[in-house]
């Protein structure tokens, strides 16, 4: 989509030093504004809207749509603070050259990736269903990472972009909690990033998977990262801005 790497409305060098103290589990998260980015995972029409790929698989999309409003509020607060934002989309090239045969056939569905759906070819880049929902649509200058797999680091330039921006911490939201969010957080952890996952800004078609996915991230003293709520993050940002 776009390859513009400057995501903040205010250069990072001008951002006041942190930390921003955020109430979280298993313990307080110390956010460094000059070294952080918000990564919104796969808030795409095919996953969240009626008639999309998710619903065609028999899932209740309302389970994911509950994360839209918390994401919208967090994104507004994050942009207002002048902090970096990135978005991801799962999907494939129109020729499906990057689609593994095993992924194509898994689930044995009659209609699968690349086939025609209500919003164009399913999970194909450039199709309407592949795009991000209007409520969270990227602004100019916010990189969109098109990924062919579950993790946002696999076969993408996400790591390079974060390194160029001197990002060391990720605040992660999106869908689904147990699949693409968890995979991305684990990938990030192995690359040395600290991750804070915002619980009400994530969602799963299966509430029990959402709960367990969050538990796995914060278990054993935060083996993969921290978990907080959008209210805690937004309040911490507001307090930080007032202190400037």
């Amino acid at each position: 989509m776009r390859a513009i790497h400057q995501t903040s409305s205010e250069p990072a060098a001008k951002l006041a030093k942190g930390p921003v103290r955020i109430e979280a589990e298993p313990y307080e998260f110390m956010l460094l504004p000059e070294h952080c980015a918000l990564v919104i995972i796969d808030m795409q029409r095919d996953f969240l809207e009626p008639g999309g790929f998710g619903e065609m698989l028999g899932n209740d999309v309302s389970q994911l749509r509950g994360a839209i409003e918390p994401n919208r509020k967090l994104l507004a607060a994050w942009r207002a603070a002048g902090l970096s934002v990135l978005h991801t989309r799962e999907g494939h090239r129109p020729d499906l050259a990057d689609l593994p045969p095993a992924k194509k056939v898994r689930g044995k569905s009659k209609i699968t990736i690349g086939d025609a759906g209500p919003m164009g070819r399913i999970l194909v880049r450039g199709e309407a269903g592949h795009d991000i929902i209007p409520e969270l649509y990227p602004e100019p200058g916010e990189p969109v990472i098109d990924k062919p797999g579950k993790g946002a680091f696999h076969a993408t330039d996400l790591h390079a972009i974060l390194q160029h921006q001197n990002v060391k911490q990720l605040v992660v939201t999106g869908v689904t909690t147990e699949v693409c969010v968890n995979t991305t957080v684990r990938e990030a952890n192995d690359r040395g990033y600290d991750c804070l996952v915002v619980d009400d800004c994530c969602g799963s078609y299966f509430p029990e998977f959402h709960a367990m996915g969050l538990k796995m991230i914060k278990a054993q003293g935060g083996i993969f990262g921290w978990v907080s709520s959008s209210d805690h993050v937004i309040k911490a940002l507001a307090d930080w801005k007032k202190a400037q």
Side-chain angles (χ1 to χ4, degrees):
M1 188 174 173
R2 8 181 196 273
I4 301 172
H5 291 178
Q6 177 58 46
T7 64
S8 172
S9 60
E10 184 176 359
K14 294 184 179 180
L15 292 174
K17 300 294 183 182
V20 179
R21 307 174 72 98
I22 300 175
E23 183 178 338
E25 294 182 281
Y27 52 88
E28 186 178 61
F29 187 79
M30 308 293 278
L31 183 75
L32 303 176
E34 68 273 25
H35 295 300
C36 71
L38 174 64
V39 180
I40 304 177
I41 305 288
D42 299 358
M43 296 293 282
Q44 297 164 247
R45 297 184 64 197
D46 252 338
F47 296 139
L48 286 107
E49 292 188 359
F53 185 47
E55 188 173 78
M56 289 179 65
L57 293 176
N59 296 304
D60 177 8
V61 297
S62 68
Q63 296 290 342
L64 302 191
R65 294 189 62 81
I68 295 176
E69 185 60 15
N71 264 291
R72 189 192 65 78
K73 291 180 179 178
L74 175 61
L75 180 57
W78 198 269
R79 285 170 171 165
L83 302 178
S84 295
V85 181
L86 299 94
H87 307 256
T88 77
R89 300 182 298 198
E90 182 181 352
H92 298 274
R93 294 162 46 106
D95 62 7
L96 304 183
D98 60 350
L99 175 62
K103 184 178 180 181
K104 170 74 173 173
V105 302
R106 191 168 297 148
K108 298 183 178 180
S109 176
K110 292 182 179 179
I111 301 177
T112 185
I113 297 171
D115 294 340
M119 291 182 277
R121 295 176 67 203
I122 295 169
L123 289 187
V124 169
R125 295 170 189 169
E127 300 289 340
H130 173 258
D131 211 356
I132 294 169
I133 59 173
E135 296 93 330
L136 302 174
Y137 208 76
E139 291 188 347
E142 295 177 355
V144 177
I145 307 298
D146 280 322
K147 59 188 186 68
K150 308 306 181 190
F153 289 88
H154 169 66
T156 74
D157 55 1
L158 175 60
H159 186 49
I161 293 174
L162 296 175
Q163 286 185 313
H164 295 162
Q165 295 182 353
N166 199 23
V167 170
K168 303 179 186 302
Q169 300 177 323
L170 305 179
V171 173
V172 183
T173 75
V175 299
T176 62
T177 312
E178 76 280 11
V179 182
C180 294
V181 171
N182 246 269
T183 302
T184 297
V185 167
R186 291 173 186 229
E187 289 180 330
N189 178 74
D190 284 346
R191 288 164 174 80
Y193 296 96
D194 284 333
C195 293
L196 174 69
V197 178
V198 187
D199 55 11
D200 56 325
C201 290
C202 297
S204 171
Y205 297 121
F206 308 97
E208 65 273 24
F209 291 175
H210 171 74
M212 189 54 65
L214 296 173
K215 286 182 180 180
M216 287 189 288
I217 289 168
K218 64 186 178 182
Q220 301 180 65
I223 191 168
F224 296 120
W226 289 255
V227 175
S228 187
S229 69
S230 61
D231 285 345
H232 288 326
V233 178
I234 292 170
K235 181 181 185 302
L237 289 175
D239 291 344
W240 170 68
K241 288 195 70 176
K242 287 179 184 177
Q244 306 312 305

